[in-house]
């Protein structure tokens, strides 16, 4: 965050402005743009193959993931080591599902439940909730996979509660006024 150079306002406090990239509308547009770019790349990279799985399952999660990354980059100074470690474990485990084999955990439900219940922005929560509805439908009713999805939801919820409790530095009145 940056303070304005105009000095104190009429109430004696300084105005705090945010860079344009962190406004909710901008985050949403960038997140949608990231998903669109991935869809274009996948189409170019795997053009001759069936891309239904990519379009229905992978492209949607990019929106809340990108929003989450933007939000975390704005608030990284407010996170404790514990909060950063939890973020790393959740995101790392979720990403390992893409490139490796992490048994019994859905990376999608792990990340999405963490993004919905954890310390996240409104854009991240709303987009993660919408994608979670789709993932739950696909996992439980289309693919009949209750094990990995349920374990991802439970572990994501535990991580979110832990991050909410221990993940942010406590700001005192003196630090806020400085």
């Amino acid at each position: 965050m940056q303070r304005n150079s105009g000095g104190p306002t009429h109430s004696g406090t300084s105005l705090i402005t945010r860079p344009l990239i962190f406004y909710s509308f901008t985050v949403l547009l960038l997140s949608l743009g990231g998903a669109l770019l991935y869809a274009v790349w996948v189409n170019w990279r795997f053009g001759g193959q069936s891309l239904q799985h990519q379009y229905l399952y992978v492209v949607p999660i990019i929106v809340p993931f990108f929003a989450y990354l933007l939000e975390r980059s704005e608030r990284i100074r407010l996170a404790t080591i514990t909060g950063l470690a939890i973020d790393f474990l959740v995101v790392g485990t979720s990403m390992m599902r893409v490139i490796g084999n992490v048994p019994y955990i859905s990376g999608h439900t792990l990340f999405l439940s963490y993004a919905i219940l954890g310390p996240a922005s409104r854009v991240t929560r709303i987009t993660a909730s919408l994608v979670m509805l789709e993932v739950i439908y696909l996992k439980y009713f289309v693919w009949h996979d209750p094990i990995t999805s349920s374990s991802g939801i439970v572990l994501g919820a535990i991580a979110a509660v832990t991050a909410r409790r221990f993940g942010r530095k406590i700001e005192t009145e003196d630090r806020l006024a400085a």
Side-chain angles (χ1 to χ4, degrees):
M1 289 189 201
Q2 300 171 342
R3 294 190 185 273
N4 72 346
S5 57
T9 62
H10 61 82
S11 65
T13 61
S14 296
L15 292 175
I16 297 176
T17 59
R18 298 167 72 188
L20 181 63
I21 194 170
F22 297 123
Y23 283 97
S24 296
F25 185 72
T26 308
V27 168
L28 181 59
L29 282 179
L30 290 171
S31 299
L32 290 169
L36 180 64
L37 282 174
Y38 179 79
V40 168
W41 177 80
V42 153
N43 194 42
W44 171 78
R45 175 71 172 87
F46 304 106
Q49 300 173 13
S50 173
L51 300 175
Q52 181 179 4
H53 176 77
Q54 291 289 324
Y55 292 146
L56 290 177
Y57 192 62
V58 179
V59 171
I61 199 168
I62 292 172
V63 177
F65 185 70
F66 204 87
Y68 169 85
L69 291 178
L70 283 171
E71 178 221 338
R72 283 302 187 264
S73 67
E74 179 187 24
R75 299 181 181 162
I76 195 158
R77 291 175 292 154
L78 299 176
T80 63
I81 295 297
T82 305
L84 293 173
I86 294 168
D87 283 350
F88 180 77
L89 284 172
V90 169
V91 171
T93 303
S94 298
M95 295 300 292
M96 283 303 296
R97 290 287 297 168
V98 174
I99 59 175
N101 187 15
V102 179
Y104 308 116
I105 299 172
S106 163
H108 275 64
T109 58
L110 172 65
F111 171 74
L112 291 169
S113 60
Y114 181 69
I116 293 167
L117 300 172
S121 68
R122 187 176 310 148
V123 171
T124 302
R125 286 176 196 248
I126 291 170
T127 58
S129 297
L130 293 172
V131 175
M132 180 65 106
L133 291 173
E134 178 199 25
V135 168
I136 286 173
Y137 170 75
L138 290 172
K139 289 274 194 180
Y140 286 95
F141 302 109
V142 176
W143 298 328
H144 307 289
D145 179 19
I147 303 296
T148 64
S149 22
S150 297
S151 63
I153 291 169
V154 169
L155 292 173
I158 291 168
V161 169
T162 307
R164 281 184 164 276
R165 176 70 176 102
F166 301 109
R168 291 188 70 155
K169 294 177 184 173
I170 298 173
E171 301 234 10
T172 63
E173 291 291 326
D174 296 335
R175 286 185 59 195
L176 290 174

